[in-house]
Amino acid sequence: MIYEHAYEIILDDVFLHLTGVAEHLDLYLKIEGLNPAGSIKLKTALNMVSDAERKGILAPGGRLVESSSGSLGVALAMVSAEKGYHFLCVTDPNTSPQCVAVMRALGADVVGVDRLDASGGYLGTRISYIEQLLTEDPDLVWLNQYANPANWFVHDRCTATAITAELSDIDFLFVGTGTSGTLMGCVSHFRTASPDTRIVAVDAVGSVNFGFPAARRYIPGIGASRRPEIFRPGVVDEVVLVPEADTVRACRWLARRYGLFAGGSTGSVVSAILRRAPDLPAGSRVVGISPDLGDRYVQTIYDDVWVTERFGAACLIPATDDQPRLSPLRS
């Protein structure tokens, strides 16, 4: 297949049938990292930019700013390079060095904030910095993934639609929750196209999305220290909170057991599936969304020193059983 633009290379029909995770389940991962931006966020970035163009908010040569912990920043840098926009990405210490390097290679400017917000994360600080920039420069365009309906709409039209086109009779759909764009788009589509599917939101321990206590987190891509405006927590059927140590264990286990070099959000989703698996009916068809691959986590999740300093050496011990260990959850 021949494409005219790199940002058009979006493979929305790739699924991995993951056998042996839970023998009584029919489990699939929707693999989203096989595009030039390396994550599901390419769809988000392209749709938000295209929407701004249609509305006349973005003109040729325009200047964009966005807050990102990594993947959306890479995707926006890619789209901006092709379309001729100047892009400034506001990041934080949790953003992987690889993401920062790729953004800069694509011509974006990157600035990092390092002050924790009131919830112990960096999202509030990143947004405050952008608001200050907008006050100083009214011509700067903030796409605002946290409040922009174009964020979730593309996942209704593309991501979720691709799932129901490929697989029928889905009993459970597990979706990570960060800005909630993917989750809200899936809810919108599935409530009409497959209303019997139970939608399970996966969030990180320490995230405030569902009203749980805030705590320091280190792995980007899932969780938030500030609830996004597009997010409606009451529309999902179930929530599973995943400790970051379990995310690390699941990612490393997937790499060793299946040769799947997965990103942090994928590890969280798989860990949530493993935690719920004993209670799911035999024969259930389960789908999890895998937002990105592991290349941008080489210096974090897959680095022994980084993991040991944050989660302890127990996360480094290879699983000897068929599944990685799960941390006990505390109320």
Side-chain angles (χ1 to χ4, degrees), residues 27-286:
L27 174 59
Y28 301 82
L29 286 183
K30 187 177 191 301
I31 306 298
E32 293 281 355
L34 301 175
N35 63 61
S39 80
I40 196 171
K41 294 292 188 176
L42 179 54
K43 286 179 280 189
T44 305
L46 181 58
N47 198 55
M48 290 197 302
V49 168
S50 299
D51 181 68
E53 290 171 336
R54 287 191 297 268
K55 293 177 178 176
I57 298 171
L58 262 180
R63 291 177 295 120
L64 294 171
V65 64
E66 186 56 273
S67 154
S68 173
S69 60
S71 290
L72 181 68
V74 169
L76 280 171
M78 177 185 166
V79 173
S80 296
E82 170 75 7
K83 288 177 171 283
Y85 298 123
H86 176 78
F87 174 52
L88 170 64
C89 188
V90 181
T91 66
D92 62 55
N94 288 340
T95 306
S96 79
Q98 288 95 330
C99 285
V100 173
V102 170
M103 284 187 266
R104 287 179 170 149
L106 290 166
D109 290 328
V110 183
V111 61
V113 302
D114 58 9
R115 178 174 54 84
L116 293 171
D117 60 26
S119 297
Y122 295 101
L123 178 53
T125 308
R126 296 198 318 246
I127 291 174
S128 294
Y129 183 78
I130 289 176
E131 289 172 342
Q132 176 185 336
L133 292 177
L134 295 173
T135 300
E136 297 169 355
D137 184 358
D139 292 330
L140 197 59
V141 176
W142 180 25
L143 296 173
N144 193 357
Q145 60 170 322
Y146 314 103
N148 193 335
N151 180 349
W152 67 260
F153 183 74
V154 70
H155 298 294
D156 178 331
R157 189 181 75 245
C158 297
T159 306
T161 299
I163 295 172
T164 54
E166 184 72 26
L167 297 167
S168 59
D169 301 322
I170 299 167
D171 297 295
F172 297 89
L173 175 69
F174 285 73
V175 188
T177 311
T179 66
S180 78
T182 303
L183 177 62
M184 293 296 97
C186 286
V187 168
S188 177
H189 174 79
F190 271 81
R191 291 308 184 221
T192 300
S194 183
D196 292 333
T197 300
R198 288 185 61 82
I199 297 177
V200 183
V202 180
D203 204 5
V205 170
S207 169
V208 305
N209 277 326
F210 289 93
F212 293 98
R216 183 71 184 274
R217 293 174 295 108
Y218 299 97
I219 300 174
I222 191 167
S225 59
R226 168 188 176 275
R227 181 178 288 177
E229 289 84 352
I230 62 172
F231 182 44
R232 295 179 292 134
V235 299
V236 302
D237 297 302
E238 187 179 339
V239 180
V240 178
L241 295 182
V242 175
E244 289 192 319
D246 286 0
T247 296
V248 171
R249 292 186 183 102
C251 285
R252 287 171 164 245
W253 175 73
L254 285 169
R256 299 284 184 91
R257 172 69 174 79
Y258 292 96
L260 177 61
F261 194 42
S265 299
T266 303
S268 297
V269 166
V270 170
S271 181
I273 293 171
L274 289 170
R275 191 175 291 278
R276 287 289 290 113
D279 300 319
L280 300 184
S284 294
R285 175 164 286 180
V286 178

